[in-house]
Amino acid sequence: MANSYINTITSLSATSSTSIYTVPSATTAIVKMISAYNSNADNAAALTIQVTDASASSTKTFDKESVAAATKKAFLENGEVLVLDENDILKMTAATANYFDIFVSTLEIS
């Protein structure tokens, strides 16, 4: 088994559901950190995090939060992790475009 640490860094430039990370084939992923920074200095905005379970062809909401202006929000805290199987997808939807910078740290086990 090989272990690889992956960092995914992106910005949400639209208000549609955006795929942030997809687990490669024959791989299990342990998401260690999900962080969103609202880069707008004046306005709070909502962010929805969803997970698509590829084996069940189902997408469910993991969390939905309003993030204050110029603030970072951590979505996995106190040792929480999110375990994803092959082809599962971590998605995010911003209520307002161009507000959020996203950081995800993942351990891939293949």
Side-chain angles (χ1 to χ4, degrees):
M1 265 193 230
N3 295 338
S4 299
Y5 286 95
I6 306 296
N7 287 316
T8 303
I9 302 170
T10 191
S11 296
L12 298 179
S13 59
T15 57
S16 57
S17 179
T18 303
S19 294
I20 303 299
Y21 171 76
T22 302
V23 182
S25 296
T27 302
T28 298
I30 300 172
V31 180
K32 305 282 286 176
M33 189 237 350
I34 302 172
S35 181
Y37 177 71
N38 178 354
S39 60
N40 184 279
D42 299 316
N43 299 304
L47 180 66
T48 302
I49 300 175
Q50 295 182 307
V51 175
T52 296
D53 180 349
S55 65
S57 299
S58 174
T59 300
K60 301 293 183 188
T61 298
F62 175 76
D63 202 347
K64 183 176 183 177
E65 297 279 341
S66 179
V67 181
T71 301
K72 180 183 89 163
K73 167 68 178 151
F75 288 89
L76 294 173
E77 298 181 299
N78 302 318
E80 293 176 313
V81 297
L82 179 62
V83 178
L84 302 174
D85 297 319
E86 67 177 319
N87 301 317
D88 287 354
I89 306 168
L90 179 67
K91 299 178 178 180
M92 296 186 188
T93 305
T96 307
N98 300 311
Y99 273 31
F100 288 106
D101 296 324
I102 304 300
F103 304 86
V104 179
S105 294
T106 307
L107 171 60
E108 291 183 345
I109 305 166
S110 56

